[in-house]
Amino acid sequence: MNENTPMVRFENVHKFFSDLHVLKGVSFTVPAGSVCTVLGPSGSGKSTALRCINQLEQIQAGRIYVQDELIGYKEKNGRLHELTHAETAKQRAKIGMVFQRFNLFPHMTTLENVMEAPIHVLKKNRGEARETAERLLSQVGLADRLSHYPSELSGGQQQRVAIARALAMEPELMLFDEPTSALDPELVGEVLNVMKDLAQMGMTMIVVTHELGFAREVSDQVVLMDNGYIIESGSPAEIFDNPRHPRTKEFLSKVL
């Protein structure tokens, strides 16, 4: 990938759930090393767009590229063919995803949760996996929680373990699907601080969030979605201080 190639590129992407048209020709790009936050009301298609990048949902039309590689398909003689499970897994391994719910293995310690995928997917030896897991858990402020089980952690701590677990796969792109929406308000800041640190380290991130302060402070690009369309996109200053579209103004007036 050359330095001018975007990390993520959506080209006229459509997604249906039966008769429900959820993404209606969505197009946008995310440069490598940048942070893109996606805002919008519930049901606007934000999370679906994210899930399509990681092939948790299949698109019906258009194309998604990550590092110039077509996601979910390969092209032969002008026709698209679905990837095999192994090919899909290979693409997915480059992309970390953090969900609203932490999805930690309840029977494993914090350390074991972070070590699991590198051992079984990346085929790392236990010593190397442990060293990486300890470093990442220290990075997210949990060096003193290595032997704790998820039930012994707060929601904010569990979400920070989930971030460390995603980072342990050495992703080139991190997707966050409303990572703080399930947390008590006083725990939100500790998760956002970890994400801010990642942004400063140059990790490419797409974040679906309702945290407008984070979007304003950390984003390079803000995208506003409504009813399956991208209504407006631009820098935080453009979106928050000088929105052009009436729907953007209406949305911000309700949430700011």
Side-chain angles (χ1 to χ4, degrees):
M1 184 179 83
N2 72 51
E3 58 186 32
N4 298 317
T5 301
M7 176 64 76
V8 178
R9 188 165 88 248
F10 271 62
E11 293 183 352
N12 197 30
V13 171
H14 291 259
K15 170 65 186 172
F16 291 84
F17 291 109
S18 298
D19 295 332
L20 186 62
H21 197 177
V22 181
L23 298 179
K24 303 171 181 175
V26 169
S27 298
F28 69 100
T29 60
V30 179
S34 71
V35 178
C36 173
T37 49
V38 186
L39 308 178
S42 295
S44 58
K46 311 182 301 293
S47 292
T48 299
L50 216 58
R51 291 171 67 85
C52 290
I53 299 172
N54 213 22
Q55 300 182 62
L56 298 173
E57 303 290 352
Q58 272 195 318
I59 62 175
Q60 276 69 54
R63 298 184 179 202
I64 300 172
Y65 295 87
V66 174
Q67 292 185 315
D68 252 2
E69 183 178 0
L70 183 61
I71 289 294
Y73 300 90
K74 55 190 169 191
E75 191 168 353
K76 282 185 182 173
N77 303 322
R79 293 176 65 98
L80 292 180
H81 302 268
E82 282 187 30
L83 297 182
T84 65
H85 287 307
E87 289 168 331
T88 299
K90 191 175 178 183
Q91 285 190 338
R92 223 182 245 149
K94 301 177 188 174
I95 303 168
M97 189 155 182
V98 176
F99 300 87
Q100 293 179 40
R101 294 290 169 186
F102 325 121
N103 301 324
L104 299 177
F105 297 117
H107 61 289
M108 291 185 178
T109 65
T110 297
L111 187 65
E112 289 165 344
N113 262 284
V114 180
M115 288 173 61
E116 179 74 2
I119 289 171
H120 292 286
V121 180
L122 299 183
K123 307 301 181 189
K124 289 193 172 185
N125 64 56
R126 290 193 69 82
E128 187 182 3
R130 183 185 181 101
E131 189 177 310
T132 299
E134 289 178 350
R135 174 176 56 78
L136 290 170
L137 286 165
S138 177
Q139 185 179 318
V140 301
L142 293 172
D144 59 343
R145 295 288 190 274
L146 301 186
S147 59
H148 286 60
Y149 288 89
S151 61
E152 300 172 307
L153 302 175
S154 71
Q157 289 170 333
Q158 289 186 59
Q159 191 62 296
R160 285 186 280 153
V161 175
I163 293 172
R165 182 179 60 181
L167 292 173
M169 290 295 290
E170 301 169 3
E172 289 150 4
L173 168 67
M174 283 286 284
L175 309 176
F176 293 87
D177 186 9
E178 300 191 23
T180 59
S181 64
L183 300 179
D184 292 333
E186 68 269 22
L187 301 177
V188 168
E190 65 189 54
V191 174
L192 294 180
N193 286 336
V194 169
M195 295 168 64
K196 289 175 187 175
D197 289 343
L198 284 179
Q200 289 174 347
M201 292 164 65
M203 173 63 75
T204 311
M205 297 159 57
I206 306 178
V207 184
V208 171
T209 186
H210 295 292
E211 300 293 336
L212 301 191
F214 174 86
R216 183 190 278 273
E217 182 184 346
V218 181
S219 305
D220 298 289
Q221 175 184 197
V222 178
V223 172
L224 186 89
M225 292 188 68
D226 186 38
N227 194 30
Y229 296 100
I230 290 182
I231 300 298
E232 191 166 348
S233 66
S235 69
E238 289 169 328
I239 297 300
F240 291 111
D241 300 332
N242 191 28
R244 300 184 302 277
H245 198 283
R247 185 67 186 94
T248 309
K249 294 175 184 176
E250 181 191 0
F251 174 76
L252 292 175
S253 74
K254 291 177 179 176
V255 296
L256 281 176

